[in-house]
Amino acid sequence: MQEYTVDMGSFFAILISMVFVSNFVLARFLGLCPFIGVTKRTDSAFGMGMAVTFVMTLASAVTWLIHRYVLLAHSVTGANIFVRFIGPETSLEPVLRTISYILVIATLVQLVEMFLKKSVPALYQSLGIFLPLITTNCAVLGVALLNTTATEEVLTFPAAVFQGFCAGLGFLVVMILMSGIRERLEVLDLPEAVKGIPIALVATALMALAFTGFGGLITVP
Amino acid sequence: MSGLVIASVVALGGLGVIFAIGLALANAKLAVHRDPLTQEILELLPGANCGACGLAGCAAYAEALAAGKVPANLCAPGGAELSSQLADILGVEVEDQEGAFAIVHCNRSEAKQSVDYHGIKDCKAALLVRDRIYDCEYACLGLGTCARECPFDAIVMSPEGLPIIIEEKCTACGVCARVCPKDIISVEKSTSFVHIQCCSRDKGGVARKNCRRACIACGRCAKICPVDAIEIKEFLAIIDYEKCISCGKCVGECPTGAIGNYRQMRRRKASVA
């Protein structure tokens, strides 16, 4: 199995790529539900961004381990723990990939929810339903799939975790930018029909256009 | 083939069990012991999260109440009725809570606008551009931030652009007083009927030039007051509500009509009701 060589350059490329070039919200259009839902105020947008970053980072780590030690065929990795039952050539990946990733994400979201309920109840209140909805946030599943299946080669463990973290960071940056814009939009004298979410979507489209400007910044290997 | 099925089931089941154990452990460590009393109190509270109690919202007040840290009569929107209910639940005595209303300390009728403002209709936004809209630096900007922020819709803007407090709806939560960037609104007890309707700290001549209803700091109100409740500070008459007996003598004495008597207005409303 081929792996990326781990050097600072490729980590920097991952950072720039995940935060700007192929930002999850504005370039891949994943995770739009919390993006529109929780960006009314900066503090809750920040909290949501941090929660998603946390879930993405941990989910990247756990799903990478599952992918390598449970899903991939033994003949590819030499590390499948079920090799005795399924033989070296069979891969569980096509059967169990999505469902096991969702299991991981749901567990992590539960963990975050417990943690926030205990330590930051005010944030827990303001995030409301959007906190458990991180479970179904396609951006989190997206980063897990991207880490393990997007390319022929598989990322190394540190690179995968870093990629998850940077994807969360990109989400956080966009959430904060958007909440700033929406706090401004709030006081504008707008026609009734475009107040709230419509004008937020227009702003999103313009931001996405602006983010395409990062397009040629780096070439992802 | 059956190997694949068994391996899938075992793999997924195993993951599920591992995660379940992890969550159970985390739950034991991070469990929140929510007092059922807190929940009960929270359901009684109005839920406006206005902050009149001085805590971060209804949930915070409910928690503090259940812990016995705060008195039960802090909720202005709930009023006396709520505090007696809370007292029943908590098994404590509460002191009577007096009603109160928000009072607007500006009455700039016929005041001239010094600028024609067409920006964002929000007092705070307007203040970023210029420190005043009317000639008087202290005057109400009239853009209705208080009316929009009022959680009980108890403020309407008059045609002249002055906030009018609808006292039937006002719960004295004080949100308007906090959001007003000119500090024109204050919350005073409902037993006080006489209020200075100006907050100009300009010298008498300047104040008079800017607004016909301004306090010109002549001091006649202070002289006539039988209980010495009025004092002129920074060219503005200030009523000490602890001393004031709401006799209303100063109202007639004021040459510019800057002192308002709310007694008749409230009595009229009471008789209509």
Side-chain angles (χ1 to χ4, degrees):
Chain A
M1 185 169 91
Q2 282 183 304
E3 288 181 343
Y4 283 144
T5 45
V6 182
D7 57 68
M8 288 314 285
S10 69
F11 272 78
F12 186 69
I14 289 175
L15 175 70
I16 298 296
S17 152
M18 282 295 128
V19 177
F20 296 112
V21 182
S22 45
N23 185 292
F24 264 72
V25 178
L26 293 180
R28 297 183 203 267
F29 300 108
L30 296 172
L32 285 176
C33 165
F35 176 68
I36 295 294
V38 203
T39 47
K40 272 192 182 155
R41 282 170 54 221
T42 305
D43 48 351
S44 54
F46 180 76
M48 187 68 180
M50 291 304 279
V52 169
T53 307
F54 177 78
V55 173
M56 276 183 168
T57 312
L58 275 188
S60 294
V62 180
T63 52
W64 190 91
L65 292 173
I66 289 177
H67 185 248
R68 185 179 173 93
Y69 292 104
V70 180
L71 298 183
L72 281 183
H74 191 73
S75 57
V76 182
T77 59
N80 194 309
I81 55 172
F82 290 103
V83 62
R84 250 191 283 164
F85 305 104
I86 54 173
E89 291 305 322
T90 328
S91 165
L92 292 174
E93 199 190 6
V95 192
L96 288 187
R97 189 176 60 210
T98 310
I99 192 170
S100 61
Y101 287 5
I102 287 290
L103 192 64
V104 171
I105 293 163
T107 310
L108 288 172
V109 171
Q110 277 296 313
L111 196 67
V112 172
E113 205 176 334
M114 283 177 196
F115 175 74
L116 284 185
K117 209 172 182 177
K118 172 93 177 172
S119 45
V120 206
L123 182 61
Y124 176 77
Q125 291 281 337
S126 72
L127 289 180
I129 185 67
F130 290 101
L131 189 56
L133 276 182
I134 302 178
T135 310
T136 55
N137 185 339
C138 49
V140 183
L141 182 63
V143 76
L145 290 174
L146 190 71
N147 281 339
T148 50
T149 56
T151 47
E152 282 296 305
E153 304 152 320
V154 173
L155 287 174
T156 59
F157 183 70
V161 175
F162 189 67
Q163 178 156 287
F165 173 72
C166 291
L169 209 61
F171 185 79
L172 177 66
V173 166
V174 174
M175 288 288 278
I176 291 173
L177 287 178
M178 188 61 184
S179 62
I181 292 174
R182 283 187 75 176
E183 281 186 356
R184 285 261 177 142
L185 288 176
E186 197 81 343
V187 290
L188 286 190
D189 192 14
L190 291 167
E192 204 60 42
V194 297
K195 260 184 192 165
I197 289 174
I199 193 70
L201 284 171
V202 172
T204 310
L206 292 175
M207 281 168 83
L209 270 180
F211 264 64
T212 57
F214 291 116
L217 209 54
I218 55 159
T219 44
V220 184
Chain B
M1 191 61 208
S2 71
L4 182 66
V5 173
I6 293 167
S8 300
V9 171
V10 171
L12 210 57
L15 285 176
V17 168
I18 293 168
F19 290 151
I21 293 171
L23 277 184
L25 289 176
N27 193 27
K29 199 142 180 73
L30 296 171
V32 182
H33 298 291
R34 210 160 223 263
D35 201 342
L37 186 62
T38 311
Q39 195 58 40
E40 198 182 337
I41 295 170
L42 191 58
E43 276 163 25
L44 278 179
L45 294 175
N49 290 322
C50 63
C53 51
L55 289 133
C58 291
Y61 185 46
E63 221 157 87
L65 272 178
K69 287 183 206 154
V70 288
N73 59 356
L74 295 183
C75 184
E81 196 187 333
L82 177 72
S83 51
S84 69
Q85 279 177 321
L86 289 176
D88 285 346
I89 295 181
L90 295 165
V92 292
E93 297 279 316
V94 284
E95 289 168 24
D96 276 349
Q97 184 195 34
E98 282 175 354
F101 298 119
I103 303 293
V104 180
H105 296 280
C106 177
N107 195 12
R108 49 150 177 75
S109 59
E110 299 167 51
K112 287 187 298 294
Q113 291 198 357
S114 63
V115 288
D116 203 6
Y117 178 74
H118 285 289
I120 297 168
K121 291 263 178 277
D122 182 272
C123 302
K124 286 174 184 165
L127 276 184
L128 295 175
V129 186
R130 202 167 186 275
D131 69 339
R132 69 190 79 174
I133 289 179
Y134 292 84
D135 284 337
C136 173
E137 180 190 340
Y138 302 92
C140 169
L141 300 175
L143 297 173
T145 296
C146 49
R148 276 192 300 281
E149 296 282 334
C150 178
F152 304 97
D153 294 329
I155 304 181
V156 291
M157 300 304 289
S158 74
E160 299 98 57
L162 272 174
I164 297 172
I165 313 286
I166 305 166
E167 294 189 340
E168 292 80 38
K169 289 186 184 171
C170 179
T171 61
C173 68
V175 165
C176 49
R178 278 196 295 280
V179 297
C180 178
K182 287 288 188 190
D183 287 331
I184 281 163
I185 307 178
S186 70
V187 175
E188 307 297 350
K189 285 177 187 164
S190 58
T191 46
S192 298
F193 294 111
V194 178
H195 302 284
I196 310 286
Q197 292 177 318
C198 178
C199 52
S200 165
R201 288 175 175 76
D202 282 328
K203 282 183 183 169
V206 181
R208 173 75 177 169
K209 212 178 88 196
N210 288 340
C211 173
R212 286 183 49 220
R213 305 287 295 272
C215 170
I216 53 172
C218 61
R220 281 166 68 177
C221 50
K223 274 191 205 102
I224 201 165
C225 181
V227 289
D228 290 332
I230 303 183
E231 198 185 339
I232 309 285
K233 278 184 200 154
E234 295 176 71
F235 307 104
L236 178 64
I238 304 283
I239 295 179
D240 183 347
Y241 290 107
E242 295 292 317
K243 290 184 192 162
C244 177
I245 52 170
S246 292
C247 65
K249 281 185 182 151
C250 50
V251 178
E253 190 71 9
C254 180
T256 58
I259 308 179
N261 192 343
Y262 286 60
R263 189 192 300 271
Q264 276 155 12
M265 180 190 77
R266 285 181 190 155
R267 194 180 288 155
R268 214 181 306 131
K269 275 186 185 151
S271 68
V272 170

